[in-house]
Amino acid sequence: MRAACNTTALEDYFPGVCLSVRNTLGRRKTVIVLLSDFQLSFRGLTAPMRWGRRLLLMVVCVALLLDNMLYMVIVPIIPDYIAAMRGGGGTAGPSAPAGGQRDLLPARYPPATGSNEDVQIGVLFASKAMLQLLVNPLSGTLIDRVGYEAPLLAGLAVLFLSTATFAFAENYATLFAARSLQGLGSAFADTAGIALIADRYAEEPARSRALGTALACISFGSLAAPPFGGVLYEFAGKRVPFLVLACVCLLDGLMLLVLAPPGGTGARANMPVGTPIHRLMIDPYIAVVAGALATCNIPLAFLEPTIANWMKDSMGASEWEVGLTWLPAFFPHVLGVYVTVQLAAAYPHLQWFYGALGMAIIGASSCLVPACRNFGQVIIPLCGICFGIALVDTALLPTLAFLVDVRHVSVYGSVYAIADISYCVAYALGPIVAGQIVHTMGFAQLNLGMGLANVLYAPVLLFLKNVCQMKPSHSERNILLEEGPKGLYDTIKMEERKGMGKSLQPAGEMDENGMGSYHRDLKGVSEEDSSDYEYS
């Protein structure tokens, strides 16, 4: 069956082919494609075609929501759980003794009764981020090689296994294994999910809106999980929160199988070869973005395990106040995502400024936390921190994808693995290092240091000011010269290169962005050429 179609119409129906054609030609045009094998040529289109992309976004958002809920749902459970395992008077089910009533909304990282338990809880919370930090370079490379759907499904399967292990754990070693297993699943599910969104939503402002939706789900999962776990633990027992999350994870995996079944030969055949992660890490623009993502998340990661004790000691906060400390921050976070998406749509060349403004807000809010004297006051700077994080994340995550588009190859697994590494650096250190800093230097000094780090890093984002003016790089052409075409994407690019090769300048002449001058010629020739391309 031959079909003449426009790439604008194709985008909602066949996103894999549309992205390949658009990335190759540098603009939208009419093409003729031979659809010889519908199932193998177009990735995972067994669902209704018009809604396929949106449904995939929903699957990814649910996966991110589940991961962050599992990350925080153990907060109200784990101290009492460990005490029960040790026979220390804790309760492990709904039948608590009269004198041992549990609070439904405890602190995000409740203080333990003994120093040894405090260390155990800190290591347990950090183990997830530590393993995720180690696995991310491997997961990013694998995602670039096999595509996005199979690693996402594998990550969901590991998260399901981790959640089930939490539900039936009876000792600390099993809890530690379940937590570490979650880090392994997150390294695949989170990175593949965000990369899949960037791949399917290849144009602004649709990409920023989609990534903003994913960030809102991450925030909601982190903030809603402690009350969710506390209530179910109180009235239904310790296993129920984990079993509920496991069922949702299983349903999400099944939905992914229906929408985008992994393993199809066409899924990988139409993707170019991605840039190795070590080359992305030394890209100065990507390094600046990664540093900003790590720095802006340090206040949140370091305050979570320390603010509960500080509130009790400095203002005599009650248990419900400590438990509700972070819940109001969800609303300014969502507001920050919405504001940044709208501003990026109107002024896309100011993405760097939105990130710098967010870091300045985070820095100022961190410095204000120690000056608060009651629960109402402390809510304000915490909301400022979450609002600033939303500005930074929503502005810089699409910037990473754009940098890959113009400076490397439009495959996003490795670059979002770098972003995940940036987050994990902060959250791996937080539960272990933050308490020691407070003990040796004080809570006020911790906040002043974090605030100063964000304020000083904000001007560094000026380095990204001219990113929007960059032109596509020559890296994709070099890869084709070395390896030859491997699918529809590479075939179109190779044919175009052969047809235009005589009019191109030498690839060694580079402009100030490090881009080949032949691309400017290629763009001009392509825009003048209105002929269609025909491939079988």
Side-chain angles (χ1 to χ4, degrees), residues 238-278:
K238 71 179 182 67
R239 293 180 178 175
V240 175
F242 301 110
L243 293 177
V244 171
L245 294 180
C247 291
V248 177
C249 187
L250 181 61
L251 293 176
D252 196 48
L254 293 176
M255 189 172 182
L256 177 62
L257 278 175
V258 173
L259 291 172
T265 57
R268 176 57 199 150
N270 293 330
M271 288 179 60
V273 178
T275 305
I277 190 170
H278 66 274

Side-chain angles (χ1 to χ4, degrees), residues 45-277:
L45 297 177
T46 55
M49 288 180 274
R50 183 177 297 275
W51 297 96
R53 191 170 70 165
R54 295 180 182 179
L55 289 174
L56 275 178
L57 174 62
M58 185 182 72
V59 169
V60 173
C61 289
V62 172
L64 297 173
L65 176 72
L66 287 169
D67 181 41
N68 285 271
M69 288 196 72
L70 182 58
Y71 180 74
M72 296 305 305
V73 77
I74 68 172
V75 167
I77 301 173
I78 203 63
D80 194 36
Y81 198 13
I82 290 180
M85 291 177 181
R86 289 172 167 268
T91 57
S95 57
Q101 182 70 23
R102 293 184 302 275
D103 194 278
L104 297 183
L105 297 173
R108 290 176 69 83
Y109 288 94
T113 56
S115 59
N116 188 37
E117 287 187 6
D118 189 40
V119 172
Q120 283 188 328
I121 292 176
V123 171
L124 183 64
F125 273 93
S127 61
K128 185 255 189 188
M130 287 181 176
L131 187 62
Q132 192 171 345
L133 181 65
L134 296 175
V135 175
N136 266 319
L138 301 177
S139 66
T141 302
L142 181 64
I143 291 168
D144 284 349
R145 291 182 179 274
V146 304
Y148 309 111
E149 293 84 355
L152 177 57
L153 183 63
L156 285 172
V158 176
L159 287 177
F160 172 80
L161 181 60
S162 171
T163 310
T165 305
F166 267 119
F168 297 98
E170 297 294 342
N171 53 65
Y172 180 83
T174 308
L175 288 175
F176 185 84
R179 189 67 162 180
S180 301
L181 198 61
Q182 185 195 355
L184 177 62
S186 300
F188 286 94
D190 293 2
T191 304
I194 296 294
L196 180 61
I197 292 176
D199 180 70
R200 295 300 173 93
Y201 291 83
E203 294 183 349
E204 295 291 351
R207 177 180 280 170
S208 291
R209 285 198 299 266
L211 290 174
T213 303
L215 291 172
C217 291
I218 291 174
S219 175
F220 180 76
S222 298
L223 297 173
F228 167 82
V231 171
L232 287 182
Y233 182 40
E234 174 71 20
F235 296 106
K238 71 179 182 67
R239 293 180 178 175
V240 175
F242 301 110
L243 293 177
V244 171
L245 294 180
C247 291
V248 177
C249 187
L250 181 61
L251 293 176
D252 196 48
L254 293 176
M255 189 172 182
L256 177 62
L257 278 175
V258 173
L259 291 172
T265 57
R268 176 57 199 150
N270 293 330
M271 288 179 60
V273 178
T275 305
I277 190 170

